[in-house]
Amino acid sequence: MDMNKLYKAAAAAGIAPFETRISNENIITVKLFNEDVENYTVAENGSMKVRGLVDGKGGVFSSDRVDDEVIDVAVKAVKDSAEYGQPVDPEFFLGGEGLEYEDAPTFNEKLAAVPASELIALGKTIAKKALAADKRIESVNVQVEYSFNETRLKNSVGLDVAQKTNYVIIFGSAKAKDGDSVESGSHYEILTGIDGLDIDGFAKKLAADASDRLGGDSVKSGKYKVVYSPNCAAALLTALTDGFSAFNVEQHISLLEGKIGQKIFSPLFSLEQTPIGSEPFCSAFDSEGMPCKNALLIDKGVPTDYVYDLATAKRAGKKSTGNGVLQGGNVRPAVMYAHVLPGDRSLEKLFEFVGDGLYIDDLGGIGTGLNAQSGAYSLQAGGFLIENGKLSRPVSLITVAGNIMTDFNDVIAVGNDEKTTYHGIKTPSIAIGSLSVSGK
């Protein structure tokens, strides 16, 4: 698209300020069943979102096409929608002066040069090794997906920033059978490069996640010490990170309303937002062009502050924290990427510390069983019994019930087995002192 032509057309139509967000995406996906390639796709997508003010009122337009033929349509749509739009403060269109951005190196040139044939070979190797890891493994599915995204945010008052990101997600699922007992398991990793991937380790974890669950049974209902795996801890923490949104606080739907500066969690629990880094969820700027900064959200059990976009910051008499995130057609403050600070115990040492309890590595029904406004949850779960400091038999057909506000105040230990999860949270395993479990 001829950007100069687009901006000239917007100015001629009386749209000022005017802003464009243009993204280009390239995704290569390889799907395998056992060692056979079932599906291979290459998708290239572009998208454009524009907004602007006409007589102080906001208009917007979005399109999956990014070419000169959309220019007239985009300008007309912004002008037409502004006629019925809400007044928007021109200050919410940032100029480029005075803004300093830290480096968020989320693009790996070496990964971008990896041919598709290597991704296919990687998937086949993982499948082969997982099948060979245990004779009880009947079948394996592996998906290797390479993603590239480039976003440029530009406006008519001087802002012009861009970010490139690429990464690989490797996801595997396996089915194990032993007599009449059939179980499935899965394992995934989000990587910024594949050079350091432990292929043998990935395949063994994938196979074990299925075969180790064979013969699982429930436990007696009661109170248990629980170790949540990184995936499960991250799933629960999504409701907590939502609580830091200043917009949610304004709407009185935040778990943390009125709790800043209070010690409401365990002193072993600290949470940092880390948009500046090399992880796929990192970025040097937010959806409004504000520079992002790393900052502690919870310091040894004490929430430090909410996160703000330009609008909520102005209403609160504060400065944006660089947390404006485009959600649908609106920008709202949100934590983009968070990191639970690790402890010094390995997973095995965590089990030894707990002594007797449950290791929960599977939670179902997060979308409906976790109330983000109260923190209460009741979820189907699975995992393993911890006896005398070691994992023993697999556990299934149980329900765990708690509240993330009280549970994370009852953290008794934090592991060092950090994992980047698809929830946008990097966390190790976390041990909770007491949790209600419904079983037999």
Side-chain angles (χ1 to χ4, degrees):
M1 173 179 283
D2 187 334
M3 297 294 287
N4 289 331
K5 183 178 179 181
L6 173 61
Y7 274 81
K8 285 180 180 179
I15 305 173
F18 181 69
E19 181 182 273
T20 57
R21 170 183 295 277
I22 296 179
S23 296
N24 295 301
E25 186 179 55
N26 179 33
I27 299 176
I28 300 173
T29 305
V30 181
K31 294 181 179 180
L32 302 99
F33 176 73
N34 292 337
E35 297 179 60
D36 298 322
V37 176
E38 282 198 321
N39 187 267
Y40 169 75
T41 59
V42 178
E44 294 184 3
N45 303 304
S47 65
M48 176 177 71
K49 296 181 183 295
V50 298
R51 65 173 183 143
L53 301 187
V54 180
D55 297 328
K57 294 192 295 184
V60 298
F61 171 76
S62 62
S63 173
D64 291 333
R65 289 184 58 180
V66 186
D67 55 54
D68 288 357
E69 293 184 14
V70 187
I71 290 176
D72 291 339
V73 176
V75 171
K76 184 178 185 302
V78 171
K79 190 168 184 178
D80 289 347
S81 62
E83 184 177 349
Y84 305 98
Q86 296 294 320
V88 177
D89 193 328
E91 292 180 5
F92 297 163
F93 291 77
L94 295 174
E97 293 185 7
L99 298 178
E100 297 183 0
Y101 299 91
E102 297 184 46
D103 184 31
T106 57
F107 180 72
N108 183 345
E109 295 275 4
K110 193 172 182 180
L111 180 61
V114 172
S117 59
E118 190 169 333
L119 300 179
I120 294 172
L122 175 60
K124 287 185 174 183
T125 301
I126 290 173
K128 181 179 180 179
K129 289 180 177 291
L131 286 166
D134 192 308
K135 64 181 181 180
R136 296 171 294 177
I137 299 297
E138 281 200 329
S139 62
V140 172
N141 290 276
V142 178
Q143 177 172 313
V144 182
E145 182 172 286
Y146 168 81
S147 292
F148 164 81
N149 181 273
E150 181 176 20
T151 298
R152 183 184 181 189
L153 182 62
K154 175 180 169 65
N155 66 28
S156 59
V157 291
L159 182 71
D160 192 354
V161 290
Q163 180 90 22
K164 292 196 300 183
T165 300
N166 65 345
Y167 59 94
V168 167
I169 296 180
I170 305 174
F171 177 84
S173 62
K175 184 175 79 171
K177 184 177 182 181
D178 187 7
D180 293 332
S181 179
V182 179
E183 292 288 345
S184 61
S186 64
H187 181 62
Y188 75 91
E189 291 192 26
I190 303 173
L191 307 167
T192 54
I194 60 175
D195 289 348
L197 174 64
D198 180 1
I199 298 177
D200 288 334
F202 186 102
K204 288 178 181 177
K205 287 179 181 178
L206 172 56
D209 198 64
S211 60
D212 287 355
R213 297 182 192 279
L214 290 167
D217 195 6
S218 188
V219 295
K220 291 182 179 180
S221 298
K223 295 281 190 177
Y224 288 81
K225 292 180 183 178
V226 164
V227 176
Y228 277 125
S229 72
N231 285 327
C232 294
L236 295 173
L237 286 171
T238 54
L240 186 59
T241 55
D242 286 347
F244 284 97
S245 167
F247 181 81
N248 289 348
V249 174
E250 290 177 343
Q251 301 301 310
H252 306 295
I253 57 173
S254 166
L255 288 168
L256 301 176
E257 183 178 359
K259 294 181 172 61
I260 297 301
Q262 300 179 21
K263 185 181 174 300
I264 57 174
F265 301 114
S266 165
L268 300 176
F269 180 55
S270 293
L271 180 70
E272 182 181 21
Q273 66 165 345
T274 52
I276 301 302
S278 59
E279 301 282 357
F281 302 100
C282 295
S283 178
F285 56 90
D286 71 0
S287 295
E288 297 179 302
M290 275 295 293
C292 294
K293 302 288 183 183
N294 292 351
L296 272 176
L297 297 172
I298 299 173
D299 185 8
K300 297 178 181 178
V302 180
T304 59
D305 202 355
Y306 305 121
V307 298
Y308 297 86
D309 62 354
L310 291 170
T312 54
K314 185 170 185 178
R315 290 194 290 269
K318 296 197 172 191
K319 184 178 178 181
S320 169
T321 55
N323 287 87
V325 176
L326 190 63
Q327 300 175 358
N330 300 306
V331 173
R332 296 286 185 260
V335 176
M336 292 181 283
Y337 183 55
H339 176 207
V340 175
L341 300 191
D344 57 3
R345 288 186 173 91
S346 66
L347 187 58
E348 289 73 21
K349 292 294 183 182
L350 210 56
F351 296 151
E352 290 178 12
F353 176 78
V354 167
D356 296 300
L358 293 171
Y359 175 54
I360 302 297
D361 65 352
D362 182 34
L363 288 175
I366 286 286
T368 55
L370 170 60
N371 189 320
Q373 295 182 33
S374 69
Y377 64 89
S378 179
L379 304 167
Q380 293 180 342
F384 299 86
L385 194 65
I386 305 171
E387 293 182 307
N388 298 318
K390 296 185 180 297
L391 290 188
S392 59
R393 68 174 179 84
V395 173
S396 60
L397 303 173
I398 63 171
T399 299
V400 293
N403 187 294
I404 60 174
M405 298 299 289
T406 54
D407 291 346
F408 286 96
N409 186 36
D410 193 23
V411 173
I412 56 175
V414 179
N416 62 9
D417 56 328
E418 297 175 292
K419 179 175 182 176
T420 298
T421 71
Y422 53 77
H423 298 286
I425 298 173
K426 184 176 184 178
T427 177
S429 297
I430 298 175
I432 308 297
S434 179
L435 195 70
S436 295
V437 176
S438 295
K440 294 181 180 179

